[in-house]
Amino acid sequence: METLGTALLARCAFVLVAGGLGERLGYPDIKLSLPVETTTDEARRSPPGQPSAHCYLLHYCQWIQQITKEEGSGNVPLIIMTSNDTHAKTEALIATLRTAGLIQLQHILLLKQEQVFCFADQDAHLAITQEEGPDGTVTYKLPRKPHGHGDVHSLIYNAKYPAAEGEESKPLLDVLADTFQTRYILFFQDTNAIAPWTAPITLAISEEENLAMNFTCIEREEGEAVGVVCRVKDTNAAGATVWRTAPVEYNIYEDAVKNAQNDKNSALYQLLHSSESSKKGVSPFPGNSNTLLFHFDAYRRALQSSKGMVPEFINPKYAKNKDGQLVFKSPARIESLMQDLALCMESTAEEQNTPRDIIGVTVFDRFTFQPVKNNVKDVFAKNEKGEETYGAASGEGKYYALLRRRLQSIGMPLPPEGSYPPVELTYPYSSEYSKPLPVSIFPNIVLNSVCQGDYTLSHLQSQVFPTPEKVKLTAKSTLVLEGKVRVESLTLDGALKITGPSSADSAPLVIRDVEIRGLHWTAECIPADRYKPGCGFADEDLIRGYVLRSTGIHKVDSSTDLSKL
C-alpha cells in the first residue's frame, strides 16, 4: 500500500498551510524555520543565525523533491498559504535555501491571506484599541486577526498562476488540471513532521475506495484538544433531514459530550457507553489531524460551486465582568476552517442532484500526529494532566521514535524503546508543575532526504540496509546518514556521520564490517536560571528545554579508507 501511494504522489499538488508565527511557542520567527530535529545541526555545527539544516520548510520541500524526482520536480506544484505576519519571512527563507542549493522545486507559489476586523462584544461592535504617544496624542486602531485556514480554498479558487513574460495568466485551478495533470491535492500544516509517511497510505486508500476526500486521523483521547470527524444530522435547503460527514471542533464536541451525560436516551450517550466505545478514555470518533486529501476533480467541483468559500463561525472566549455578566474575554473574529469544505462537497451534490462524493477517514496510530504548537508552560500543564504535550521537545522525540520504528520493522535489532534513560525536563519558571517531562532521544538516527530515497520501507531495506540484522547500535549511539549510502554491516557505540554521493547517477558508498566506538552525545537540560533570551541558548533550544551536546562525531565519506576503521 505504501508503494502504491508513493507512486501517486507524483500526481499530487501539495498545499502547505503556514500562516502562523511561532509566538504561541515562544519562538520569534516563522514556524517553518524551526528545526524538525537538532541532531543534523549539531553534526554539521551549523553557524548561529543560519537556517536550520533540517527546518520544517526544507523537510517538506526535500520530501516532495525526492518522491517526485522520477517525474521531475519541476512538474510538481507546492502552494504555501502565508499571512501578513509570515509572507516576507517565508519568501526570504525560500530564497536562502534556494541559494544554498537545498531546494530545487520549480513551482512554489505563495498565496497570502488577508486579515479581518474583530468584534468587541456579542452585539458585533468593532473592537478598538488606543495608544497614547509621548506627546499625549491618542491613536485609535481597529485590530485585525487572520480569518482562519479556511481561506486557503478561496485563495486557490481566485488565484492566477504566474505566466511567462508576454503570456496571459490563467486561473490556478485550470493550470493544476491542464498543465500539471493533478489527480489529488494534499493539504498539510506547518509543523507535523510525520505527515510524509502517512500521506502515501491515505493516497492508496483513497484510490482503492474512490474517495473524494480523506481525513488523516488518529485515535483520539477524550478531552483532548483535537477535533473529531463524525456523522451529524442536519436539515438541507429543502427542509429534509440529512446526515453529513462533518469535522467538529473539540470544544463543541466536548460540550455535546457533557450535555449527553444528562440524557441517557440520546444517541451520543448510548454511543459513548456502548461496547464499541468501552475502551476507557478513548473517543468513539477519530481525531482530525488536519492532513486532508482531495481527489482533484471533486475538489474543483466543490470550489466552483462554493466560489471557494467555506462556512464561517465565531468562537469567542467569555469571562464575567464586575457586574457578573458574561462578556468577551478578548476581541473575537469571524473564522473559517479548511476541513469544513467537506460540508460544501455534500451540499453541492444535493443542490445539483448528483451522487454524493464519498468522504472517508484513515485512522493511524497516535504517534503519527505530533504537531509543534504549545509553549513551555502549556506543555508542562498538559504533561501534569497526562495529556499529549504537542511541544517542540515531544515533536523531536517522536520524530526519532518514528525512524527507529521503521528501521525495526525491516529487521534492524535496535535496543528496545527506553533502554537509554530519557532526558527528564522540569518546569523552569516555578514549582507550579512538579511532574517531569521525559523525552527519549537516543539512539538518535537521522537519514537525509537523498538517503531516504522514495521514503518507503522497501527502499530502506533494498537500498540502505540490505542486511539490517548486521547493523547494531547501542542505546546511546548517534547515527547520521547523508547521500547515497548502503550499510551492509556496522557496529556502532558512539557518534557516526556517513556521507555518500548525492548525485542520482553515482553508486552508493558501501559500509561493510565497520566498527566505531566513542564520542557519545548527551542531552543536557537547560538550567532554570538560564531559561531566557540572552543567556547563551538559542530560541529553538529554549522552547525544547534541552540541547544536544557532542564531543565530536566520527566521519566517513567516499575518501575514507574503510580498511583502517
Side-chain angles (χ1 to χ4, degrees):
M1 187 168 285
E2 186 180 57
T3 301
L4 169 62
T6 298
L8 289 168
L9 283 167
R11 295 288 306 280
C12 280
F14 298 87
V15 183
L16 174 55
V17 179
L21 286 170
E23 289 176 335
R24 179 177 169 185
L25 288 164
Y27 181 67
D29 209 339
I30 57 174
K31 289 192 284 185
L32 285 177
S33 68
L34 278 168
V36 172
E37 44 80 20
T38 53
T39 296
T40 300
D41 287 333
E42 183 63 19
R44 292 187 180 186
R45 298 298 177 104
S46 299
Q50 293 296 312
S52 166
H54 191 183
C55 67
Y56 277 93
L57 179 60
L58 190 59
H59 177 72
Y60 296 132
C61 286
Q62 292 190 331
W63 163 58
I64 296 170
Q65 287 169 193
Q66 280 300 121
I67 50 91
T68 61
K69 66 180 181 181
E70 301 251 335
E71 301 289 326
S73 59
N75 294 324
V76 180
L78 170 62
I79 300 163
I80 304 177
M81 186 182 81
T82 62
S83 65
N84 287 341
D85 292 330
T86 66
H87 190 81
K89 291 185 175 183
T90 303
E91 282 186 322
L93 181 57
I94 291 172
T96 298
L97 296 174
R98 280 199 191 282
T99 301
L102 298 174
I103 291 181
Q104 287 85 45
L105 289 176
Q106 299 298 311
H107 300 283
I108 300 179
L109 178 63
L110 271 57
L111 302 178
K112 186 174 75 169
Q113 69 173 153
E114 299 301 328
Q115 296 180 318
V116 295
F117 294 113
C118 302
F119 298 113
D121 53 43
Q122 59 190 11
D123 293 323
H125 291 114
L126 289 177
I128 301 174
T129 62
Q130 61 182 63
E131 298 177 4
E132 184 174 344
D135 60 353
T137 302
V138 177
T139 302
Y140 295 91
K141 294 183 178 180
L142 296 173
R144 299 187 184 200
K145 293 183 179 180
H147 184 237
H149 48 56
D151 278 358
V152 68
H153 302 304
S154 62
L155 289 170
I156 290 174
Y157 175 77
N158 290 296
K160 298 281 189 179
Y161 195 80
E165 188 175 350
E167 296 182 4
E168 185 177 351
S169 296
K170 297 179 180 178
L172 175 58
L173 284 173
D174 292 348
V175 173
L176 291 177
D178 302 333
T179 303
F180 292 107
Q181 299 290 300
T182 301
R183 182 171 179 80
Y184 289 97
I185 184 165
L186 177 70
F187 292 76
F188 54 103
Q189 294 192 287
D190 45 17
T191 58
N192 184 21
I194 301 178
W197 287 276
T198 60
I201 308 300
T202 306
L203 261 170
I205 290 173
S206 289
E207 183 77 0
E208 290 184 348
E209 301 296 332
N210 195 29
L211 300 181
M213 180 181 183
N214 197 345
F215 288 86
T216 299
C217 294
I218 58 169
E219 186 178 63
R220 179 187 179 272
E221 295 179 351
E222 285 291 8
E224 187 174 16
V226 174
V228 303
V229 182
C230 58
R231 300 285 285 171
V232 297
K233 187 185 290 187
D234 195 11
T235 303
N236 66 13
T241 298
V242 294
W243 284 91
R244 303 189 190 282
T245 301
V248 179
E249 283 293 273
Y250 72 89
N251 56 327
I252 297 174
Y253 171 71
E254 288 300 326
D255 284 344
V257 169
K258 290 177 184 177
N259 293 333
Q261 301 303 334
N262 300 319
D263 183 4
K264 293 186 178 181
N265 294 320
S266 71
L268 181 55
Y269 178 92
Q270 295 173 24
L271 179 62
L272 291 168
H273 294 82
S274 67
S275 57
E276 292 84 359
S277 303
S278 60
K279 189 177 178 184
K280 188 177 180 181
V282 175
S283 167
F285 302 107
N288 175 25
S289 72
N290 257 357
T291 298
L292 309 175
L293 180 70
F294 296 87
H295 192 285
F296 184 73
D297 291 344
Y299 178 75
R300 191 181 188 187
R301 285 197 305 272
L303 260 60
Q304 289 172 335
S305 175
S306 70
K307 302 295 188 289
M309 304 299 293
V310 296
E312 296 178 313
F313 67 98
I314 187 168
N315 187 23
K317 303 298 187 293
Y318 287 94
K320 289 185 177 181
N321 63 14
K322 61 181 180 180
D323 298 323
Q325 298 172 320
L326 283 177
V327 297
F328 283 11
K329 190 175 181 179
S330 60
R333 85 282 196 186
I334 300 293
E335 301 179 63
S336 63
L337 302 173
M338 65 178 181
Q339 61 266 32
D340 283 348
L341 189 65
L343 300 173
C344 299
M345 296 176 78
E346 295 201 339
S347 61
T348 296
E350 292 165 6
E351 292 167 4
Q352 298 178 356
N353 196 27
T354 57
R356 296 174 100 184
D357 289 317
I358 303 173
I359 299 174
V361 300
T362 302
V363 183
F364 291 86
D365 191 293
R366 286 181 57 80
F367 85 92
T368 60
F369 180 54
Q370 288 301 324
V372 176
K373 62 181 183 178
N374 290 321
N375 61 33
V376 172
K377 180 177 175 62
D378 290 342
V379 160
F380 277 91
K382 289 180 176 295
N383 181 61
E384 195 83 5
K385 294 185 287 187
E387 299 176 358
E388 286 282 358
T389 57
Y390 297 135
S394 63
E396 179 166 16
K398 295 296 176 61
Y399 180 75
Y400 296 136
L402 167 79
L403 297 180
R404 289 194 293 266
R405 283 193 186 201
R406 290 178 68 80
L407 293 173
Q408 287 172 323
S409 72
I410 65 170
M412 187 179 292
L414 292 174
E417 286 294 313
S419 299
Y420 191 80
V423 55
E424 297 273 355
L425 304 179
T426 55
Y427 186 58
Y429 299 121
S430 67
S431 58
E432 182 178 1
Y433 305 112
S434 58
K435 185 178 178 181
L437 172 64
V439 181
S440 294
I441 302 294
F442 301 101
N444 48 332
I445 305 168
V446 177
L447 289 68
N448 81 343
S449 61
V450 175
C451 189
Q452 296 263 18
D454 64 2
Y455 283 64
T456 62
L457 289 173
S458 60
H459 175 85
L460 275 181
Q461 185 158 24
S462 65
Q463 303 299 319
V464 186
F465 299 104
T467 49
E469 70 280 0
K470 296 181 180 179
V471 180
K472 299 176 182 178
L473 281 70
T474 62
K476 55 183 179 179
S477 292
T478 297
L479 178 61
V480 179
L481 301 183
E482 296 186 349
K484 297 182 68 175
V485 176
R486 183 181 179 89
V487 183
E488 296 184 355
S489 54
L490 169 68
T491 300
L492 176 62
D493 181 20
L496 172 63
K497 177 181 178 181
I498 304 174
T499 304
S502 58
S503 170
D505 300 328
S506 300
L509 172 62
V510 178
I511 303 298
R512 184 184 301 118
D513 298 332
V514 171
E515 182 173 336
I516 299 287
R517 299 186 184 278
L519 302 180
H520 296 98
W521 289 20
T522 58
E524 175 186 302
C525 291
I526 296 175
D529 61 348
R530 298 181 65 189
Y531 223 98
K532 52 189 174 183
C535 285
F537 292 95
D539 293 312
E540 50 265 36
D541 297 327
L542 292 174
I543 64 173
R544 279 172 164 75
Y546 63 87
V547 290
L548 293 181
R549 295 297 191 195
S550 73
T551 54
I553 188 167
H554 298 283
K555 295 183 179 181
V556 172
D557 58 28
S558 299
S559 65
T560 305
D561 186 350
L562 298 180
S563 65
K564 295 182 179 180
L565 295 178

